[in-house]
Amino acid sequence: MSSMDAILQAALDQRRAEHLYRSRVNIASGCGPTLQVDGRAVLNFCSNDYLGLACHVDIRRALQQAADQYGTGSGASHLISGHSVVHQALEEQLAEFTGRPRALLFSTGYMANLGAINALLGRRDLILQDQLNHASLLDGGRLSQADFQRYKHNDLEHLQQRLEHSSASRKLIVTDGVFSMDGDVAPLQQLSQRAAAYDAWLMVDDAHGLGVLGATGGGLVEQLNLSIEQVPVLMGTLGKSFGTFGAFIAGSEALIETLIQFSRSYIYTTALPPAIAAATLASLKLVREENWRREKLTHLIGHFRRGAAQIGMLLAPSDTPIQPLLINNDRAVMEAGQQLRDAGFMVGAIRPPTVPAGTGRLRITLSAEHSEQQIDQLIDALDQLNLPGRGQ
Ligand SMILES: *Cc1c(COP(=O)(O)O)cnc(C)c1O
């Protein structure tokens, strides 16, 4: 073994010994309520395809037709020759959808967060983030030269103290809308008040609220009816409820032009395939119009929570399709995940460093394509698990 590999292997061995080793599962089907894994069907309770659009026929057709017209690759970055009329149309529709003057497509949500934070802040600035924010936001904060501070989860007092002590010229408060591993929501109204009081800017990553919350799927910002003055920087992803791929930032003309000029993860990367943008246009139409998907999801969430309560399961308080079952023992989380897999169910087994140590959980996610019966099957399987802390 080379000396590099010996050093790497030691760290890998340690990770395995800590029960934190990650591995992948090969999925032989598209993303739906059932997945083909190792030659058998398993029920899918771990995807972020909340509205069940990832395999929708209209979206597939749009992708196929656009591939025939525009090919596969965009061939270049947006600022060279990669920006097609389809990207432009999607940006205009996303702006209208979010009620913002403009929107800008990024290749992934990770890149959107890195790029937006770093275009907005530099030395002498302050970034304040909820401690449970998504890794891409935290990484964006670390990469920036700004003073990077975290506040306790949804803790307005703590945030306010940090704002009071700052003399930074630009101050950015950043939060998930719906928290990705917890399913709870940020108090955006109050956060926007604090931002206004301290002359700070508010950025909301609504990766998990978009499509699911709000009368037309406009996310937490639509549900709470928050204006661009209250939430000047709005980020959304397209690989979750939209069932396609990519992400966007929506906001003012000046914000979007700033990102085009200064956001390195926007400038120095290949534009999304135009066919993906065309597929997302088809998806956006379904997100806005098919309200029954949100209604059904709300119904299924209630059904799941009632079933879980009946068997004495400890669920985190969440009204969203993200339903974490907290298992404080991080090792037991991995074992429970494996037992469920053996029983024919895939759920997210989430442990550190994705979540703080000792807060491992099964991250169960629901989709509008699930049936009540499938949820009942999951409840039965959860009931068979021998979990520490059960029914406390
Ligand atoms: C998934 C996710 C992202 C990253 O989006 P991708 O398009 O998958 O890169 C960013 N923020 C949050 C809160 C997410 O859940």
Side-chain angles (χ1 to χ4, degrees):
M1 200 185 266
S2 71
S3 74
M4 180 186 87
D5 284 357
I7 290 168
L8 297 182
Q9 194 57 49
L12 290 171
D13 291 345
Q14 188 185 342
R15 192 132 270 222
R16 207 182 277 282
E18 292 165 350
H19 306 284
L20 296 177
Y21 206 85
R22 299 173 188 272
S23 56
R24 302 168 306 170
V25 176
N26 296 329
I27 307 295
S29 59
C31 175
T34 56
L35 299 172
Q36 285 294 326
V37 184
D38 297 334
R40 68 179 187 140
V42 298
L43 285 175
N44 176 7
F45 286 100
C46 57
S47 89
N48 302 312
D49 179 26
Y50 306 120
L51 298 179
L53 295 177
C55 277
H56 193 286
V57 62
D58 293 2
I59 305 175
R60 284 174 8 220
R61 289 279 142 70
L63 180 71
Q64 285 158 359
Q65 280 169 11
D68 286 343
Q69 194 171 351
Y70 301 100
T72 49
S74 65
S77 67
H78 283 278
L79 289 165
I80 305 298
S81 63
H83 188 70
S84 82
V85 292
V86 196
H87 293 117
Q88 184 63 31
L90 178 57
E91 287 183 348
E92 287 170 15
Q93 290 207 20
L94 286 169
E96 202 230 307
F97 174 58
T98 54
R100 301 313 197 236
R102 287 191 65 186
L104 186 73
L105 284 172
F106 282 77
S107 294
T108 70
Y110 193 104
M111 293 166 75
N113 282 338
L114 236 56
I117 290 169
N118 284 279
L120 291 175
L121 301 180
R123 249 188 281 275
R124 285 191 292 279
D125 298 330
L126 172 69
I127 182 163
L128 286 165
Q129 297 210 29
D130 189 291
Q131 66 180 17
L132 296 188
N133 275 355
H134 189 262
S136 56
L137 293 170
L138 300 175
D139 291 357
R142 278 195 204 108
L143 192 64
S144 79
Q145 312 228 27
D147 176 14
F148 176 28
Q149 299 183 21
R150 298 210 222 177
Y151 58 90
K152 291 185 202 137
H153 180 49
N154 282 348
D155 187 335
L156 297 163
E157 293 282 305
H158 193 210
L159 169 66
Q160 189 159 336
Q161 283 167 19
R162 304 217 139 187
L163 283 165
E164 267 162 13
H165 287 119
S166 171
S167 56
S169 46
R170 296 179 180 193
K171 297 181 276 286
L172 183 67
I173 302 168
V174 184
T175 185
D176 278 21
V178 173
F179 286 87
S180 56
M181 296 300 135
D182 296 76
D184 61 339
V185 299
L188 292 190
Q189 190 87 49
Q190 292 88 328
L191 286 170
S192 75
Q193 284 161 359
R194 297 303 187 286
Y198 291 91
D199 203 19
W201 308 336
L202 179 60
M203 172 172 175
V204 175
D205 171 343
D206 207 17
H208 298 275
L210 207 77
V212 170
L213 302 176
T216 67
L220 192 56
V221 161
E222 181 186 28
Q223 188 177 67
L224 301 174
N225 201 14
L226 297 175
S227 67
I228 188 171
E229 287 74 30
Q230 290 164 299
V231 179
V233 188
L234 175 62
M235 180 275 197
T237 60
L238 303 169
K240 290 169 179 151
S241 289
F242 279 75
T244 60
F245 191 75
F248 68 91
I249 302 269
S252 67
E253 181 72 27
L255 171 69
I256 299 305
E257 283 301 314
T258 297
L259 298 181
I260 294 172
Q261 306 308 317
F262 298 109
S263 184
R264 295 172 64 85
S265 64
Y266 181 76
I267 300 168
Y268 297 108
T269 199
T270 301
L272 281 177
I276 292 289
T280 308
L281 278 168
S283 166
L284 178 58
K285 187 166 156 34
L286 295 168
V287 167
R288 297 179 84 162
E289 291 174 0
E290 296 202 338
N291 205 31
W292 66 265
R293 291 180 187 275
R294 279 178 287 278
E295 285 165 5
K296 180 160 176 218
L297 197 46
T298 303
H299 171 77
L300 293 176
I301 293 165
H303 186 78
F304 174 72
R305 291 190 69 88
R306 280 189 298 278
Q310 272 167 16
I311 60 163
M313 282 285 162
L314 282 176
L315 288 179
S318 159
D319 301 327
T320 67
I322 301 169
Q323 293 290 326
L325 177 58
L326 290 166
I327 298 175
N328 299 329
N329 179 328
D330 295 333
R331 180 176 179 178
V333 174
M334 302 313 293
E335 286 170 1
Q338 188 57 51
Q339 275 180 49
L340 284 171
R341 173 96 55 75
D342 294 343
F345 300 86
M346 273 187 79
V347 305
I350 311 289
R351 66 324 198 188
T354 305
V355 291
T359 72
R361 68 207 58 190
L362 296 178
R363 178 178 181 269
I364 295 161
T365 54
L366 303 177
S367 156
E369 292 285 298
H370 283 130
S371 66
E372 280 190 12
Q373 204 186 4
Q374 288 169 332
I375 288 175
D376 294 341
Q377 285 173 266
L378 174 65
I379 299 278
D380 285 344
L382 291 171
D383 201 17
Q384 308 284 317
L385 292 179
N386 189 12
L387 295 177
R390 171 81 185 278
Q392 270 167 13

Coordinates of all heavy atoms in Angstrom, one line a residue, residues 339-368:
Q339 N -32.2 -2.4 9.6 CA -33.4 -3.3 9.9 C -34.6 -3.0 9.0 O -35.2 -3.9 8.4 CB -33.8 -3.2 11.3 CG -33.1 -4.0 12.3 CD -33.7 -3.8 13.7 OE1 -34.9 -3.8 13.9 NE2 -32.8 -3.5 14.7
L340 N -34.8 -1.7 8.8 CA -35.9 -1.3 7.9 C -35.6 -1.6 6.5 O -36.5 -2.1 5.8 CB -36.1 0.2 8.1 CG -36.8 0.7 9.3 CD1 -36.8 2.2 9.5 CD2 -38.3 0.2 9.4
R341 N -34.4 -1.5 6.1 CA -34.0 -1.9 4.7 C -34.3 -3.3 4.5 O -34.9 -3.8 3.5 CB -32.6 -1.5 4.4 CG -32.1 -2.1 3.1 CD -32.1 -1.0 2.0 NE -31.4 0.1 2.5 CZ -30.0 0.2 2.6 NH1 -29.3 -0.8 2.1 NH2 -29.4 1.3 3.0
D342 N -33.9 -4.2 5.5 CA -34.1 -5.6 5.3 C -35.6 -5.9 5.2 O -36.0 -6.8 4.6 CB -33.5 -6.3 6.6 CG -32.0 -6.2 6.6 OD1 -31.4 -5.9 5.5 OD2 -31.4 -6.4 7.7
A343 N -36.4 -5.1 5.9 CA -37.8 -5.3 5.9 C -38.5 -4.7 4.7 O -39.7 -4.8 4.5 CB -38.5 -4.7 7.2
G344 N -37.7 -4.0 3.8 CA -38.2 -3.5 2.5 C -38.6 -2.0 2.6 O -39.4 -1.6 1.8
F345 N -37.9 -1.2 3.4 CA -38.2 0.2 3.5 C -36.9 1.0 3.5 O -36.0 0.6 4.2 CB -39.0 0.5 4.8 CG -40.3 -0.2 5.0 CD1 -40.3 -1.5 5.5 CD2 -41.4 0.4 4.5 CE1 -41.5 -2.1 5.6 CE2 -42.6 -0.3 4.7 CZ -42.7 -1.5 5.2
M346 N -36.9 2.0 2.7 CA -35.7 2.9 2.8 C -36.1 4.2 3.4 O -37.0 4.9 3.0 CB -35.2 3.2 1.4 CG -34.2 2.1 0.9 SD -33.4 2.5 -0.6 CE -32.1 3.7 -0.1
V347 N -35.4 4.5 4.5 CA -35.5 5.8 5.2 C -34.1 6.4 5.4 O -33.1 5.6 5.3 CB -36.2 5.7 6.6 CG1 -37.5 5.0 6.5 CG2 -35.3 5.0 7.6
G348 N -34.0 7.7 5.6 CA -32.7 8.2 5.8 C -32.2 7.9 7.2 O -32.9 8.2 8.2
A349 N -31.0 7.3 7.3 CA -30.4 7.1 8.7 C -29.4 8.2 8.8 O -28.4 8.2 8.2 CB -29.8 5.7 8.8
I350 N -29.7 9.2 9.6 CA -28.9 10.5 9.7 C -28.2 10.5 11.0 O -28.8 10.5 12.1 CB -29.8 11.7 9.6 CG1 -30.8 11.6 8.4 CG2 -29.0 13.0 9.4 CD1 -30.2 11.7 7.0
R351 N -26.9 10.7 10.9 CA -26.1 10.8 12.2 C -25.0 11.8 11.9 O -24.8 12.4 10.8 CB -25.6 9.4 12.6 CG -24.6 8.6 11.8 CD -24.7 8.7 10.4 NE -24.0 7.7 9.6 CZ -23.9 7.8 8.3 NH1 -24.4 8.8 7.7 NH2 -23.3 6.8 7.7
P352 N -24.2 12.1 13.0 CA -23.1 13.1 12.8 C -22.2 12.7 11.7 O -22.0 11.5 11.5 CB -22.4 13.1 14.2 CG -23.3 12.4 15.1 CD -24.1 11.5 14.3
P353 N -21.5 13.6 11.0 CA -21.6 15.1 11.3 C -22.8 15.8 10.6 O -22.8 17.0 10.6 CB -20.3 15.6 10.7 CG -20.0 14.6 9.6 CD -20.6 13.3 10.0
T354 N -23.7 15.1 9.9 CA -24.8 15.7 9.3 C -25.7 16.4 10.3 O -26.2 17.5 10.1 CB -25.6 14.7 8.5 OG1 -24.7 14.1 7.6 CG2 -26.7 15.4 7.7
V355 N -25.8 15.8 11.5 CA -26.5 16.4 12.6 C -25.6 16.4 13.8 O -24.6 15.7 13.9 CB -27.9 15.7 12.9 CG1 -28.9 15.9 11.8 CG2 -27.6 14.2 13.2
P356 N -25.9 17.2 14.9 CA -25.0 17.3 16.0 C -24.9 15.9 16.7 O -25.9 15.1 16.7 CB -25.7 18.3 17.0 CG -26.6 19.1 16.1 CD -27.0 18.2 15.0
A357 N -23.8 15.6 17.3 CA -23.6 14.3 18.0 C -24.7 14.0 19.0 O -25.2 14.9 19.7 CB -22.2 14.3 18.7
G358 N -25.2 12.8 19.0 CA -26.2 12.4 20.0 C -27.6 12.7 19.5 O -28.6 12.5 20.2
T359 N -27.8 13.3 18.3 CA -29.1 13.6 17.8 C -29.4 12.8 16.5 O -30.1 13.3 15.6 CB -29.3 15.1 17.5 OG1 -28.5 15.5 16.4 CG2 -28.9 15.9 18.7
G360 N -28.8 11.6 16.4 CA -29.1 10.8 15.2 C -30.6 10.5 15.1 O -31.3 10.6 16.1
R361 N -31.0 10.3 13.9 CA -32.5 10.2 13.7 C -32.7 9.4 12.4 O -31.9 9.3 11.5 CB -33.1 11.5 13.5 CG -32.7 12.2 12.3 CD -32.7 13.7 12.3 NE -31.9 14.3 13.4 CZ -32.0 15.6 13.8 NH1 -32.8 16.4 13.2 NH2 -31.2 16.0 14.8
L362 N -33.9 8.8 12.3 CA -34.4 8.3 11.0 C -35.2 9.5 10.4 O -36.1 10.1 11.0 CB -35.4 7.1 11.2 CG -34.7 5.9 11.9 CD1 -35.8 4.8 12.1 CD2 -33.6 5.4 11.0
R363 N -34.7 9.9 9.2 CA -35.4 11.0 8.5 C -36.4 10.4 7.5 O -35.9 9.9 6.5 CB -34.4 11.9 7.8 CG -34.9 13.0 7.0 CD -33.8 13.9 6.4 NE -34.3 15.0 5.7 CZ -34.6 15.0 4.4 NH1 -34.5 13.9 3.7 NH2 -35.0 16.1 3.8
I364 N -37.6 10.4 7.9 CA -38.7 9.8 7.1 C -39.3 10.9 6.3 O -39.6 11.9 6.8 CB -39.7 9.1 8.0 CG1 -39.1 7.9 8.8 CG2 -40.9 8.7 7.2 CD1 -39.8 7.5 10.0
T365 N -39.3 10.7 5.0 CA -39.9 11.8 4.2 C -41.1 11.2 3.4 O -41.1 10.0 3.0 CB -38.9 12.4 3.2 OG1 -38.4 11.3 2.4 CG2 -37.9 13.1 3.9
L366 N -42.2 12.0 3.3 CA -43.4 11.6 2.6 C -43.5 12.3 1.3 O -43.0 13.4 1.1 CB -44.6 11.9 3.5 CG -44.5 11.3 4.9 CD1 -45.7 11.7 5.7 CD2 -44.5 9.8 4.8
S367 N -44.3 11.6 0.4 CA -44.5 12.2 -1.0 C -46.0 12.1 -1.3 O -46.7 11.2 -0.8 CB -43.7 11.3 -2.0 OG -44.2 11.4 -3.3
A368 N -46.4 13.0 -2.1 CA -47.8 12.9 -2.6 C -48.1 11.7 -3.3 O -49.3 11.3 -3.5 CB -48.1 14.1 -3.5

